[in-house]
């Protein structure tokens, strides 16, 4: 009795449930028969089978049979059996390792019931190298082959002897295997051969990646999966002569959270906005023990040039007539395998007249015809590159054109460099640098004179290091070894910081950019303290020289960038050391104790903490380079930065003891560097004590600290108290004033003159009230946000100007009435002109001054004072207040003089002494009554600008100004309201009427009660 069994691999088996869900599966079907059957007979019968039903977990499913293939065939005779795998199939691991049927064509073991019996052959390779203490021999090859022959599906072993006891080998197998089995072989080889073994595999990992080229600036995703759980996963990328490890960065995002029950190891990588540098071969790897399983895939990018360098010839078009002139445009890009469609546009499209290619670059040449007809529009030539995905990238260049009769700077040779004729106001670019440098030089033609050359040529070594740092930030090659190499190269380039070359500052700026990129990368990639010595050394050397050849704005940006980068790197570099680093300009110390007392450059710091490591860095020769808009102070020479690593403290208090030694400066401020505003701030820092030699500060946060010096501070506690009390009294007085005016208005404005006067007084009171409220609200600028401080500054500027504008209206109206007695102002004319002067003019002045500061890059206000900025004579936004106010005060002073002269002339000279007394009384009355409403007390403020702070009269003027102007609302109430007879009379009448009304009510009530009693 015998039976024949067939094992079929059924491909494309479709299962349909009652809902319309279709999936494709592979399954094994075993056919048993008691008679001898041919395989083709069975396959033929399966072809005629359309649908049948299978049950899974108690649920029936309809199955449609698609394709089928013979996998294995077994012939069973009683207890004996013989099985064979079909072509392209081999024994499964269970058959091989349990039944010892591995490389035999026919298995005589009883394995017909094993599932799976045979598996499809796959291509798996094991690559490795063996390092011996002795030379390689054929015996070693035999030993190595014997070890690997135990693997199921073993096919061949190839060994390449490299000499010095090192050999590379490759093993080809056709069946997947478990990592533990390969690890056992590796361990056995290392033990038996006393060798070190490095092994990786290919063919066991599944990789998913885009097949077609991806678009430029797209975000492709690659993913690798592996059946077993492994210890770690990684990605690498390689291109011609270059190999990089990938890590999280600004472009690379690794994902190890994609594993499933079936695929227990998974690692994905997402690339953001890919460019040409990301085209290459990507390899993923899963490591377990000494074994690394890998897979590779090629990523193709539809390239566009990362940089397009445009040059023009001639550098400037000089027009002697209206005839057009030809200009040659060259566009240079790095060599690329992409075939670009290239054209340039200037009024119309131009095709390249020449296309040259060398090993490193593609150069496209165009010739355009530039019109010499006068046109206010710039002459811009745009070059366009289009790739296979129809994506485009543009680059533009402006052709300087000197029209006939237009002003320009003459061509000039300077230090061997040619500067062509350039239109006035334009900047000429010269892209010729020394042989070992890259970049450009620029020079501006201003007021028909050439300005100094701005150098942007940097050393090629520094440029290469900058590109390496940029790749590191992106996540390309971001390893500890690469980081150490970047900082080492930066330190080795320090000679470029001390040369007499005009490019020194450009080299320093590029080096600061390297620090900045590494600081950004340190937020995502862990840097070890092995880079500290080179990093601190290089950063110190950048401060050895003054940064010349640049304006203050550039210097401020460079120094701020330097400070933030150095501070971030010190904070993020993980340290495991106690010894500090001392260089010429930087001193770094570490403290892991709970009670830290550290001294750096004679700055003593004390901090109590519960955990972590305190890092303290002192910096010399940087303070004078940083922006300083804090209270007209002068910087000291030292700056200190304190940060904590691995700390859990929620609140801290740090004490800093600075050496000062600036005996000529009596006022000191404890400040920190505000990275948001790029300026100094005192928020959270308090001055505890100060003398001629030391200054002690306490702060409740960590960052970069210093002290700033001022010769004196006009603000004192007494003045602050007087100001607050005076403003409070003024606000109450103004509220009373406006209430009284509302009550007596109809009774006191019977004539035009009274209407004019009280209209002006009410506007003066309203705007003074608003200004005083804003002044009080902004009396503590350190507690306000920058936007709120700006709003209060604008309001105070506007309300005070409006107040003075109405004071001007009042004084001019008074003088007009005195001089033109028989030509009185009409009410409509007065209201129209006063509205323009009192409302429109202040808005225009404030708005134009703010817009001017905004678009010229100047500061409109000081955040430390919430008031306008004074930068010098006729410099600063304060002059948009001082000049209008000064004009009003001088006009009002003139008006008062006119009133006094008119009063003196009108006095009849009858009885000498009595008349003189009356005249003097009248003059005093005029001065007292008109000074508050004319704002003449503000003259003292102008006097303070002319006095030195060391002058004894300065303090007298300071207190006088504070008292008179903080109580201005009270004086306005007394002189503008209660001093007027009509107002007093009407108030008395209203009070009596109210009192009489109450008396009548009481009489009526009494009379009614008496009647009831009767």
């Amino acid at each position: 009795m015998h039976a024949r069994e067939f094992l079929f691999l059924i491909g494309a088996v479709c299962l349909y449930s009652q809902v319309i869900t279709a999936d494709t599966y592979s399954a094994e079907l075993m056919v048993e028969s008691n008679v001898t059957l041919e395989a083709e007979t069975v396959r033929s019968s399966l072809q005629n089978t359309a649908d049948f039903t299978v049950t899974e977990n108690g649920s029936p499913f309809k199955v449609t049979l698609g394709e089928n293939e013979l996998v294995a065939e077994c012939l069973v005779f009683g207890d004996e059996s013989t099985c064979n795998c079909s072509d392209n199939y081999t024994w499964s691991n269970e058959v091989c390792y349990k039944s010892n049927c591995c490389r035999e064509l026919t298995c005589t073991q009883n394995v017909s019931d094993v599932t799976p019996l045979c598996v499809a052959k796959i291509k798996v390779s094991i690559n490795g190298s063996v390092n011996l203490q002795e030379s390689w021999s054929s015996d070693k090859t035999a030993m190595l082959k014997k070890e690997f022959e135990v693997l199921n599906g073993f096919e061949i072993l190839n060994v390449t002897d490299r000499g010095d006891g090192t050999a590379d080998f490759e093993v080809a197998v056709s069946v997947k295997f478990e990592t533990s089995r390969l690890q056992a072989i590796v361990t056995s080889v290392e033990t038996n051969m006393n060798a070190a073994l490095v092994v990786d595999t290919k063919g066991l990992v599944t990789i998913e990646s885009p097949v077609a080229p991806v678009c430029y600036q797209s975000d492709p995703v690659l993913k690798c999966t592996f059946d077993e759980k492994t210890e770690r996963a990684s990605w690498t990328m390689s291109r011609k002569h270059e190999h990089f490890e990938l890590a999280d960065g600004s472009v690379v995002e690794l994902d190890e959270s994609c594993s499933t029950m079936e695929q227990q190891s998974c690692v994905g990588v997402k690339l953001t906005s890919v460019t040409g540098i990301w085209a290459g071969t990507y390899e993923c790897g899963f490591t377990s023990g000494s074994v690394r399983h890998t897979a590779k895939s090629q990523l193709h990018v539809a390239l566009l040039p990362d940089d397009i360098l445009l040059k023009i010839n001639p550098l400037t078009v000089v027009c002697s007539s209206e005839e057009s002139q030809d200009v040659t445009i060259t566009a240079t890009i790095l060599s690329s395998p992409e075939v670009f469609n290239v054209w340039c546009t200037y009024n119309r499209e131009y095709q390249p007249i020449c296309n040259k290619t060398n090993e490193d670059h593609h150069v496209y040449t165009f010739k355009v015809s530039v019109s010499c007809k006068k046109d206010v529009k710039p002459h811009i030539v745009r070059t366009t590159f289009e790739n296979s995905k129809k994506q485009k990238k543009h680059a533009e260049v402006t052709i300087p054109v000197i029209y006939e009769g237009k002003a320009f700077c003459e061509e000039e040779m300077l230090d061997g460099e040619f500067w062509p004729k350039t239109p006035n106001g334009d900047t000429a670019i010269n892209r010729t640098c020394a042989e070992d440098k890259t970049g450009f030089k620029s020079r501006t033609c201003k007021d028909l004179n050439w300005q100094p050359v701005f150098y942007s040529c940097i050393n090629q070594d520094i440029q290469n290091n900058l590109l390496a740092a940029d790749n590191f930030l992106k996540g390309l090659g971001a390893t500890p070894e690469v980081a150490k190499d970047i900082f080492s190269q930066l330190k080795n380039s320090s000679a470029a910081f001390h040369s007499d070359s005009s490019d020194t500052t450009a080299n320093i700026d590029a080096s600061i950019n390297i620090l900045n990129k590494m600081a950004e990368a340190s937020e995502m990639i862990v840097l070890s303290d092995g880079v500290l010595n080179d990093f601190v050394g290089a950063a110190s050397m950048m401060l050895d020289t003054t940064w010349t050849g640049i304006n203050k704005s550039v210097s401020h940006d460079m120094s701020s960038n330097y400070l933030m980068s150095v501070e971030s790197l010190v904070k993020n570099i993980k340290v495991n050391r106690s010894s500090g680093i001392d260089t010429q300009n930087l001193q770094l110390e570490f403290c892991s104790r709970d009670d830290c007392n550290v001294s750096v450059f004679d700055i003593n710091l004390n901090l109590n903490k519960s955990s972590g490591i305190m890092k303290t860095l002192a910096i010399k020769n940087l303070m004078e380079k940083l922006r300083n808009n804090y209270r007209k102070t002068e910087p000291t020479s030292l700056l200190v930065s304190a940060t904590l690593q691995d700390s859990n403290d929620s609140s801290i208090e740090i004490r800093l003891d600075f050496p000062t030694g600036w005996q000529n400066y009596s006022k000191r401020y404890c400040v920190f560097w505000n990275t948001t505003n790029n300026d100094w701030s005192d928020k959270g820092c308090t001055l505890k004590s100060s003398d001629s030699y030391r200054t002690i500060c306490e702060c409740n946060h960590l960052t970069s600290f210093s002290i700033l010096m001022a010769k004196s501070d006009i603000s004192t506690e007494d003045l602050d108290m007087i100001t607050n009390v005076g403003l409070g009294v003024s606000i109450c007085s103004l509220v009373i004033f406006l209430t009284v005016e509302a009550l007596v208005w109809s009774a006191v404005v019977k004539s035009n003159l009274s209407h004019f006067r009280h209209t002006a007084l009410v506007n003066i009171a309203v705007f003074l009230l608003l200004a005083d409220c804003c002044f009080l609200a902004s009396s503590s600028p350190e507690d306000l946000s920058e936007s709120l401080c700006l709003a209060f500054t604008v309001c105070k500027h506007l309300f005070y100007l409006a107040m003075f504008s109405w004071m001007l209206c009042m004084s001019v109206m008074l003088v007009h009435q005195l001089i033109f007695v028989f030509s009185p102002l009409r009410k409509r004319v007065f209201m129209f002109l006063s509205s323009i002067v009192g409302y429109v003019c202040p808005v225009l002045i404030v708005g134009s001054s703010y817009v001017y500061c905004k678009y010229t890059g100047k500061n409109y206000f000081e955040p430390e004072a919430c008031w306008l900025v004074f930068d010098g004579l006729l410099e600063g936004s304060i002059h948009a207040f001082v000049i209008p106010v000064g004009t009003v005060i001088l006009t009002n002073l003139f008006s008062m003089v006119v009133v006094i002269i008119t009063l003196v002339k009108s006095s009849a000279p009858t009885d000498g002494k009595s008349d003189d007394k009356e005249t003097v009384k009248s003059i005093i009355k005029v001065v007292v009554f008109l000074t508050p409403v004319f704002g003449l007390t503000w003259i003292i403020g102008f006097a303070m600008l002319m006095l030195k702070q060391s002058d004894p009269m300065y303090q007298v003027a300071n207190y006088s100004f504070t008292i008179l102007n903080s109580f201005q609302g009270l004086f306005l109430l007394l002189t503008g309201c209660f001093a007027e007879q009509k107002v007093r009379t009407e108030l008395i009448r209203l009070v009596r009427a109210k009192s009489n009304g109450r008396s009548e009510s009481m009489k009526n009530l009494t009379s009614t009660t008496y009647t009831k009693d009767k």
Side-chain angles (χ1 to χ4, degrees), residues 94-120:
E94 183 176 357
V95 173
C96 175
Y97 298 130
K98 290 184 177 181
S99 302
N100 202 25
C101 291
C102 294
R103 286 181 295 280
E104 294 82 356
L105 295 178
T106 301
C107 182
T108 59
Q109 302 294 326
N110 188 12
V111 296
S112 60
D113 57 344
V114 176
T115 304
L117 180 60
C118 298
V119 294

Side-chain angles (χ1 to χ4, degrees), residues 431-648:
R431 297 191 179 276
T432 58
C433 294
E435 185 177 353
D436 60 339
K437 297 181 179 181
T438 181
F440 64 92
K441 307 181 189 78
S442 61
R443 200 177 182 197
T444 300
C445 174
K446 183 179 180 181
D447 299 329
L448 301 183
N449 292 312
W450 282 111
Q451 300 301 301
V453 179
F454 182 80
Y455 294 90
S456 295
C457 293
I458 64 175
N459 286 15
Q460 188 63 55
D461 290 341
I462 295 179
Q463 175 66 20
N464 294 339
N465 206 23
L466 180 60
L467 293 176
D470 186 56
N471 287 340
F472 190 94
L473 172 61
K474 293 174 180 177
L476 190 64
T479 64
E481 295 77 18
V482 173
K484 186 171 178 58
D485 185 62
I486 289 173
F487 285 115
S488 176
Q489 291 292 332
L490 187 60
K491 184 178 181 181
N492 293 337
S493 302
S494 59
F497 308 152
H498 301 88
S499 66
D500 296 331
S501 170
S502 53
D503 300 325
T504 299
T505 305
N507 287 323
I508 293 176
D509 187 32
S511 299
I512 293 175
N513 286 334
I514 293 175
L515 291 180
N516 181 254
K517 291 182 182 297
M518 296 304 292
E520 287 186 54
S522 68
E523 300 288 344
M524 300 171 283
I525 302 164
V526 176
L527 300 180
S528 65
D529 58 6
V531 304
L532 271 176
N533 288 329
D534 289 336
F535 152 56
V536 174
S540 175
M541 293 177 191
M542 295 179 196
L543 301 176
D544 283 344
T545 60
T546 56
W547 300 347
T548 58
I550 53 176
N551 57 40
K552 284 187 177 180
S553 177
V554 175
S555 177
H556 290 162
D557 290 342
M558 286 175 58
S559 56
S560 176
N561 195 6
Y562 174 91
L563 178 58
M564 289 188 292
S565 301
V566 169
E567 185 177 21
S568 295
L569 282 168
V570 170
K571 177 182 178 181
N572 294 330
I573 292 175
K574 298 296 182 183
V575 297
N576 186 21
R577 59 192 289 178
S578 58
S579 60
I581 302 174
D582 190 0
T583 62
Q584 182 174 342
N585 295 306
L586 272 71
Q587 186 174 357
L588 178 62
E589 296 292 340
F590 307 102
C591 176
S592 56
R593 301 186 305 275
D594 291 343
D595 182 13
C596 287
N597 289 284
V598 178
S599 178
V600 283
F601 287 153
D602 200 25
I603 304 173
N604 301 317
L605 291 88
N606 174 260
L607 175 68
N608 292 320
K609 57 183 178 61
S610 60
S611 60
I613 300 174
M614 184 177 82
K615 306 173 184 178
T616 308
L617 176 71
I619 305 176
K620 290 181 179 178
N621 296 328
L622 181 65
M623 288 289 292
E624 67 276 5
K625 298 178 177 68
L626 289 165
R627 180 183 288 107
N628 180 20
N629 293 323
Y630 185 86
R631 300 193 179 202
K632 303 300 180 292
T633 53
E634 295 293 333
T636 54
S637 59
L638 293 174
L639 177 152
V640 63
S641 170
T643 58
L644 282 174
Q645 172 185 312
D646 302 328
S647 175
N648 298 321

Side-chain angles (χ1 to χ4, degrees), residues 229-508:
K229 189 174 182 61
T230 54
E231 297 169 1
R232 59 185 180 275
S234 62
W235 280 94
T236 62
M237 192 274 278
S238 59
R239 53 180 187 246
K240 187 177 181 181
H241 308 307
E242 293 179 301
H243 185 81
F244 306 95
E245 288 189 30
L246 301 185
D248 286 319
S250 60
V251 174
V252 177
E253 180 182 349
L254 299 180
D255 177 23
E256 296 187 35
S257 62
C258 51
S259 59
T260 63
M261 292 295 294
E262 293 77 18
Q263 306 292 335
Q264 298 186 42
S265 292
C266 177
V267 60
V269 58
K270 179 181 178 181
L271 307 176
T272 304
S273 300
V274 293
T275 59
I277 66 171
W278 297 98
T281 301
Y282 287 76
E283 179 179 284
C284 61
F286 297 98
T287 302
S288 184
S290 304
V291 179
R292 183 171 183 265
H293 303 288
T294 66
K296 290 183 179 181
S297 181
Q298 190 77 19
L299 180 67
H300 300 278
V301 179
L303 302 176
L304 280 173
D306 293 332
D307 296 297
I308 304 172
L309 177 61
L310 297 180
K311 294 182 179 180
I312 60 174
N313 186 27
L315 296 175
T316 304
V317 174
V318 182
C319 295
S320 56
S321 64
E322 291 189 354
E323 294 183 2
S324 299
Q325 295 192 24
D326 289 339
V327 175
T328 301
I329 313 291
T330 58
T332 304
I333 63 172
L334 291 176
S335 293
S336 170
E338 186 82 15
V339 178
F340 297 112
N341 183 19
V342 187
W343 68 90
C344 80
T345 308
Y346 173 75
N347 297 329
R348 64 182 182 85
E349 289 187 1
Y350 292 83
Q351 296 300 320
I353 60 174
C354 180
N355 179 10
K356 294 182 180 180
T357 301
N358 55 37
E359 185 177 351
D360 298 322
H361 296 91
H362 291 314
V363 181
Y364 301 85
T365 303
F366 308 86
K367 183 170 287 187
V368 301
S369 181
V370 177
S371 173
C372 279
K373 291 182 179 180
K374 289 187 178 180
D375 193 347
V376 294
K377 296 180 180 179
H379 294 261
I380 298 176
V381 177
R382 167 181 281 198
T383 304
T384 302
F385 286 76
E386 184 183 66
N387 64 16
S388 58
K389 296 281 188 180
K390 302 300 180 183
Q391 294 178 286
K392 299 180 179 67
K393 188 166 186 178
H394 310 283
E396 293 181 347
V397 62
T398 301
I399 301 175
V401 177
I402 301 175
Y403 297 108
E404 188 175 5
K406 185 179 179 181
F408 61 91
C409 290
E410 292 286 352
E411 61 184 41
E412 181 178 294
M413 289 291 296
L414 180 66
D415 297 331
E417 298 285 347
F418 174 71
W419 297 97
K421 293 178 181 179
T422 300
N424 191 44
D426 283 6
T427 299
I429 305 295
N430 189 329
R431 297 191 179 276
T432 58
C433 294
E435 185 177 353
D436 60 339
K437 297 181 179 181
T438 181
F440 64 92
K441 307 181 189 78
S442 61
R443 200 177 182 197
T444 300
C445 174
K446 183 179 180 181
D447 299 329
L448 301 183
N449 292 312
W450 282 111
Q451 300 301 301
V453 179
F454 182 80
Y455 294 90
S456 295
C457 293
I458 64 175
N459 286 15
Q460 188 63 55
D461 290 341
I462 295 179
Q463 175 66 20
N464 294 339
N465 206 23
L466 180 60
L467 293 176
D470 186 56
N471 287 340
F472 190 94
L473 172 61
K474 293 174 180 177
L476 190 64
T479 64
E481 295 77 18
V482 173
K484 186 171 178 58
D485 185 62
I486 289 173
F487 285 115
S488 176
Q489 291 292 332
L490 187 60
K491 184 178 181 181
N492 293 337
S493 302
S494 59
F497 308 152
H498 301 88
S499 66
D500 296 331
S501 170
S502 53
D503 300 325
T504 299
T505 305
N507 287 323
I508 293 176

Side-chain angles (χ1 to χ4, degrees), residues 122-191:
I122 61 172
K123 186 177 181 181
V124 178
S125 62
I126 305 170
N127 301 283
S129 61
V130 183
N131 294 315
L132 299 174
Q133 302 296 325
E134 53 186 294
S135 60
W136 191 262
S137 64
S138 58
D139 294 339
K140 304 296 183 184
T141 301
M143 291 175 62
L144 193 63
K145 182 178 180 181
K146 183 178 179 181
E147 295 285 355
F148 280 101
E149 277 182 339
V150 300
L151 285 176
N152 183 28
F154 175 84
E155 293 181 350
I156 193 172
L157 167 69
N158 291 321
V159 178
T160 303
D161 183 5
R162 296 193 315 191
D164 299 328
T166 302
D168 296 332
F169 65 87
E170 179 180 5
V171 178
V173 296
S174 56
V175 181
K176 287 185 176 182
F177 49 80
E178 295 179 350
T179 304
S180 58
R181 193 170 294 277
L182 179 58
Q183 181 64 56
I185 295 173
V186 170
T187 303
S188 176
V189 170
E190 290 179 333
T191 302

Side-chain angles (χ1 to χ4, degrees), residues 781-821:
E782 65 275 5
D783 297 328
L784 301 176
S785 64
E786 185 174 347
S787 58
L788 199 56
C789 188
L790 171 61
F792 280 131
T793 303
V794 171
C795 289
K796 288 187 288 186
H797 191 187
L798 177 63
F799 296 149
Y800 278 124
L801 281 184
M803 179 190 73
F804 277 101
S805 298
W806 279 100
M807 289 177 175
L808 177 65
C809 294
M810 187 172 181
S811 70
V812 172
M813 178 271 297
L814 181 59
V815 171
H816 183 275
Q817 293 299 112
L818 289 174
I819 296 176
F820 304 100
V821 179

